[in-house]
Amino acid sequence: MKILLIHSENDREIINRVQPLLSAAKAAIDILPVQPHNSASGDTRKQFSAFFSTANLDKEKASAQCITHTLIVSPIAQRWLDFLAGFSYGNRLPLLVYGEDAIAAVPVEFASFFRSLTSDKSLDEYFKAESEAFEKWKTASEIIKARETLLQMGIPVTGESLATRAGEGSVQEVSLFLAAGFSPETRNKAGVPLLNIAARKGNLEILELLIQSGAELNLQADDRGTSAILDSVMAKRYPLTVALIDAGAALDIKSKDGQTALVVAVGAGDEKAVEALLKAGADADIADSMGASARTYATLFKKSAIVALFEKYAPKKTES
């Protein structure tokens, strides 16, 4: 959203007062000073028209760089108001006038072309509402554009198609699906969340993209009951395990088999994963469905290097 402020050259201080009032709308601002008593001459019309183009006035092409509202903040000449009214009507551009003096200068016959904002409060409320509406429109436009791009690429716009691209590590295509409004927590037909798919396939870029997009870190897949961090350890995808730990994933979720990520790491003899999990605070003594913990397995199978890691990061508490 972008606002063109029109003011009298004799009233420059009004700009300093109005600009802070528009800050809540987060709109860009252009400024056009005009002669207070002269008509809209050819030069001033050209100056005004320079702020616009055909693309600017096409809502389908509108952006933060286009004038979306014209706001008059000072009394200006009647013929200039006449020109603005015609321009606004022809191009469906909101034409606003703010302040008692500026409103009083608008002839009765042109009043229907203008929206009067009589106070700071009305100015603030109007542009806050317009900003919210513009952001919703922009979001909807981006969703439509992303969906059209996927279709032009020959990609079905479905959740299963998104899951396939996530498994393939297609960052650009997954980004387009997210921009098209798909949730980063989408599951495939088997009920496996995107984050788990990335963890199983070892697609770090996809995993990081999903995390940045706000994906729930601890969803459990329907097939194994695993969380993404469990899947990353099962697949021996150490960089992904670290990324999930850093993102704050829960460490002690159990799979359908009753195994935690730490139990799986010990069983696989994956010292790096064991160390990362222990350093992050994984519980060494949670029993699986067989009644044994990660610490128990490390001792039972005489994995001395891993036992040493338990002693370093999670020493067993002695009973007093």
Side-chain angles (χ1 to χ4, degrees):
M1 188 169 73
K2 195 170 191 178
I3 305 168
L4 177 61
L5 292 183
I6 298 177
H7 73 96
S8 165
E9 286 187 343
N10 295 344
D11 190 14
R12 298 178 186 276
E13 291 185 4
I14 187 69
I15 296 299
N16 295 329
R17 192 167 72 81
V18 171
Q19 280 185 302
L21 296 175
L22 298 173
S23 60
K26 299 178 181 178
I29 294 173
D30 278 335
I31 299 172
L32 175 63
V34 298
Q35 292 286 343
H37 303 299
N38 295 343
S39 63
S41 65
D43 287 343
T44 54
R45 289 185 186 187
K46 287 180 181 178
Q47 188 180 3
F48 173 80
S49 299
F51 288 101
F52 301 88
S53 71
T54 302
N56 292 147
L57 300 172
D58 182 351
K59 190 173 181 181
E60 294 302 317
K61 298 177 182 178
S63 72
Q65 300 305 312
C66 305
I67 300 296
T68 57
H69 299 76
T70 300
L71 176 61
I72 301 167
V73 295
S74 297
I76 55 178
Q78 179 172 329
R79 293 193 64 185
W80 181 235
L81 291 168
D82 185 9
F83 167 73
L84 287 175
F87 184 90
S88 174
Y89 181 78
N91 293 290
R92 293 176 295 175
L93 184 74
L95 186 56
L96 311 156
V97 57
Y98 164 73
E100 292 181 4
D101 293 341
I103 293 170
V106 177
V108 174
E109 60 268 28
F110 295 144
S112 62
F113 294 99
F114 295 82
R115 174 163 183 161
S116 297
L117 302 172
T118 57
S119 65
D120 292 356
K121 182 180 179 182
S122 63
L123 181 75
D124 179 64
E125 289 177 348
Y126 176 83
F127 279 108
K128 277 184 179 177
E130 287 291 282
S131 179
E132 290 175 5
F134 187 78
E135 288 302 317
K136 288 179 181 178
W137 172 83
K138 188 166 67 172
T139 298
S141 298
E142 290 170 354
I143 288 173
I144 292 169
K145 182 178 179 181
R147 286 176 177 263
E148 288 177 346
T149 300
L150 287 166
L151 290 172
Q152 289 168 4
M153 295 169 69
I155 299 171
V157 186
T158 65
E160 190 65 17
S161 180
L162 166 56
T164 299
R165 269 62 193 185
E168 294 171 348
S170 303
V171 176
Q172 179 188 8
E173 293 170 11
V174 171
S175 296
L176 282 169
F177 272 100
L178 296 175
F182 281 78
S183 170
E185 294 160 14
T186 298
R187 296 172 181 256
N188 66 11
K189 289 180 180 178
V192 182
L194 298 178
L195 207 62
N196 297 60
I197 293 171
R200 294 178 185 186
K201 296 289 187 178
N203 293 324
L204 180 59
E205 284 186 279
I206 296 292
L207 182 126
E208 290 177 336
L209 173 62
L210 293 169
I211 291 173
Q212 290 168 6
S213 300
E216 165 57 50
L217 301 175
N218 303 314
L219 294 178
Q220 291 176 259
D222 292 346
D223 56 354
R224 305 174 186 171
T226 49
S227 63
I229 199 164
L230 251 167
D231 279 322
S232 72
V233 173
M234 284 182 174
K236 294 187 176 181
R237 310 290 190 181
Y238 178 73
L240 283 82
T241 300
V242 172
L244 287 161
I245 289 172
D246 290 345
L251 306 177
D252 299 321
I253 291 174
K254 289 185 178 182
S255 67
K256 286 183 178 179
D257 296 331
Q259 295 180 319
T260 64
L262 190 56
V263 168
V264 171
V266 170
D270 190 339
E271 295 177 21
K272 288 174 66 178
V274 169
E275 183 171 24
L277 290 164
L278 286 173
K279 286 175 71 175
D283 193 325
D285 298 304
I286 294 177
D288 64 6
S289 56
M290 302 294 292
S293 68
R295 190 195 306 275
T296 302
Y297 284 121
T299 303
L300 183 63
F301 294 110
K302 299 180 180 178
K303 298 177 183 283
S304 57
I306 291 178
V307 169
L309 291 173
F310 280 100
E311 292 174 350
K312 179 178 180 180
Y313 297 109
K316 198 163 186 179
K317 295 176 182 178
T318 57
E319 295 183 5
S320 56

